Amino acid sequence: MSPEPPASPHAVRTLTDPAERRRAFDLFLSTLHHGPLTDEAWEAHGHAPDEHWLGLDGDGPDDPVGSAYSFPTRLTLPGGAVVGAAAVSGVGVRPDRTRAGRLSALMRAQLAAARDRGDVATVLRASEAAIYGRYGYGVASRGEHVRLDARPDWRPGAPAGGTVRMLGPDRAATVLPALQERLAARRPGGMTRSPRWWRRALRPAGPTAGQYKGVAVHTGADGADDGFAVWGVVEGDLRTGGGDEVEIQQLWADGPDATAGLWRFLTGLDLSSGVRGWSRPLDEDLDLMLADARRHRVTGRGDDLWLRLVDPGAALAARSWGEGMPVVLRVHDPLLGGGTWRIGPGGAAPAAGAVADLECAADGLATVFLGDRAPSRLVAAGRCSEHTAGAAARADALFAVTGPAPWCGTFF
Ligand SMILES: CC(C)(COP(=O)(O)OP(=O)(O)OC[C@H]1O[C@@H](n2cnc3c(N)ncnc32)[C@H](O)[C@@H]1OP(=O)(O)O)[C@@H](O)C(=O)NCCC(=O)NCCS
């Protein structure tokens, strides 16, 4: 049974009026230290009726002090099931009203609304890592920031890639959304994007007006499109002799051949000294394809997708499982109510009253759910309790994923 959340003094309102949404979005931008949107940028941002917007009033309804919104998405789980989820963004509280429980009020309202709509999960990208764990979010996938020198020597036998063709903005807007949706359905953590997301990512005008944006699609040996890249160029500093660098904004590839084909293309571009990628999937393995692996440098690693299971029973039932003996997992969730499930190779089923082998909070379950981290690592880190010897190792085998590593690759 869900425990009653403590009453909040902050009244959260659903915003349907576009003008109110725009004020809420400008408030959010201000919490990120950005100025308000221009009319043109708001036009490009667009007003989508299927989004769910929340606001907190200050001295009146025209004076928002808190905001959060979400758009509907479809999230891929291990094994390929795709479930409905809410992609959360626009979260901000005005600096003169912070640390008084307003974010908590927004989060509670948002999670309750997502559950009432039947969403299985909510997902977000976090500005800071210390904020969202308390609301049951965990880092479900991670990415690596990388740099690959231009024109590296590829090992003999490394995937050669297929053909690459460039697209103009109009063609890109037609081809890329469907291709990304197909590719995102092949990777745990992959998610669909809203039309607005695409408009903002591909529009030639707006904050990046005048900057170069390249788009290319990769076609495999079977003649089907199986990857794409969107990139910009960061100008080098002539004073230090630094050359221009290609900066990947998006790169999706279905397997090593498409990955190599797109990276070969980008690293082969003239007038560039290297290619930078931010939050790339952990299994991209470019270093294994190079004659000199150090021409590929991992410059950092960070959290990719933050996941919150709103309906953990549905989520556990929908994903696939590895081999081995079952485990009983108890999940504590003061916000939405936890539960106990028996998980085995054949699936997961509620097991109320069963003795738990493993116990964790909602953020712990989210952290292991897509297969990025093994449950035993959470036990070792003190984030999950093992009550039955060997249960964590059994859970490792069950939660393990085969195939592409979990990765979202969408910033929203
Ligand atoms: C992050 C932000 C939304 C928090 O809003 P808030 O109204 O101050 O949050 P609350 O008062 O509801 O805080 C709830 C809890 O989170 C903690 N918390 C809030 N912001 C935190 C932060 N940035 N780092 C660590 N803890 C934080 C509070 O201390 C509080 O902890 P408690 O429950 O143990 O008392 C607000 O500071 C903000 O707008 N920041 C700038 C924009 C931003 O980063 N938005 C998030 C985009 S993903």
Side-chain angles (χ1 to χ4, degrees):
M1 218 177 72
S2 304
E4 277 300 311
S8 167
H10 308 296
V12 176
R13 284 200 303 127
T14 300
L15 309 181
T16 51
D17 176 53
E20 282 197 320
R21 290 181 174 193
R22 182 170 174 176
R23 279 196 289 274
F25 196 72
D26 281 345
L27 164 73
F28 160 64
L29 289 176
S30 77
T31 69
L32 298 181
H33 312 146
H34 294 307
L37 288 179
T38 61
D39 289 346
E40 184 202 16
W42 175 250
E43 202 55 43
H45 191 86
H47 164 63
D50 61 352
E51 290 174 349
H52 182 243
W53 286 67
L54 296 172
L56 277 164
D57 296 339
D59 297 330
D62 294 348
D63 172 39
V65 295
S67 78
Y69 76 86
S70 68
F71 63 86
T73 185
R74 300 195 51 79
L75 178 72
T76 307
L77 307 188
V82 174
V83 297
V88 172
S89 188
V91 176
V93 172
R94 211 170 71 188
D96 60 339
R97 307 293 173 96
T98 50
R99 307 302 182 267
R102 287 184 172 81
L103 173 64
S104 293
L106 288 163
M107 289 287 112
R108 278 199 201 96
Q110 191 171 58
L111 288 171
R115 186 184 51 191
D116 292 350
R117 279 194 305 267
D119 287 331
V120 171
T122 56
V123 289
L124 56 78
R125 310 293 297 240
S127 62
E128 291 182 280
I131 301 174
Y132 292 103
R134 60 174 54 75
Y135 307 116
Y137 285 90
V139 176
S141 63
R142 291 168 296 155
E144 282 177 345
H145 316 320
V146 304
R147 186 185 186 284
L148 179 50
D149 289 345
R151 293 164 286 284
D153 289 329
W154 298 80
R155 285 175 73 95
T163 57
V164 172
R165 71 181 192 284
M166 289 186 67
L167 304 183
D170 291 344
R171 192 86 189 108
T174 315
V175 172
L176 263 47
L179 180 54
Q180 187 272 342
E181 191 163 331
R182 192 154 55 76
L183 300 176
R186 308 233 170 113
R187 211 183 247 284
M191 60 177 270
T192 58
R193 299 154 168 184
S194 66
R196 191 192 65 211
W197 190 98
W198 279 107
R199 273 199 304 279
R200 295 187 63 192
L202 296 177
R203 73 167 189 260
T208 57
Q211 285 178 9
Y212 176 76
K213 194 183 285 282
V215 178
V217 169
H218 183 272
T219 306
D222 62 357
D225 292 345
D226 58 3
F228 69 90
V230 180
W231 69 94
V233 172
V234 180
E235 281 184 26
D237 186 343
L238 291 177
R239 290 165 304 182
T240 57
D244 290 356
E245 286 189 330
V246 170
E247 191 167 61
I248 292 173
Q249 294 166 1
Q250 304 184 49
L251 192 156
W252 279 83
D254 187 16
D257 205 52
T259 300
L262 287 164
W263 276 92
R264 281 176 187 265
F265 177 76
L266 294 176
T267 53
L269 290 171
D270 287 340
L271 305 180
S272 148
S273 61
V275 179
R276 287 192 223 156
W278 180 81
S279 200
R280 302 300 310 152
L282 299 186
D283 60 353
E284 204 161 44
D285 290 339
L286 294 167
D287 54 335
L288 295 178
M289 302 181 193
L290 299 174
D292 178 352
R294 289 190 188 171
R295 298 197 70 186
H296 173 267
R297 276 187 298 121
V298 176
T299 55
R301 194 177 64 184
D303 39 272
D304 178 55
L305 189 72
W306 287 72
L307 171 71
R308 205 297 178 202
L309 298 179
V310 175
D311 185 344
L316 292 166
R319 70 153 280 181
S320 65
W321 297 99
E323 294 303 317
M325 298 272 292
V327 290
V328 174
L329 173 68
R330 178 161 303 139
V331 180
H332 296 274
D333 185 351
L335 279 180
L336 295 180
T340 305
W341 290 271
R342 179 172 285 101
I343 299 169
V355 175
D357 300 311
L358 287 173
E359 212 164 328
C360 66
D363 64 321
L365 174 60
T367 304
V368 298
F369 184 74
L370 294 181
D372 180 58
R373 300 280 196 140
S376 61
R377 307 280 289 271
L378 267 75
V379 171
R383 299 267 307 261
C384 185
S385 308
E386 182 184 54
H387 300 308
T388 308
R394 297 207 311 268
D396 285 357
L398 292 166
F399 276 87
V401 293
T402 53
W407 183 65
C408 172
T410 296
F411 196 85
F412 52 96

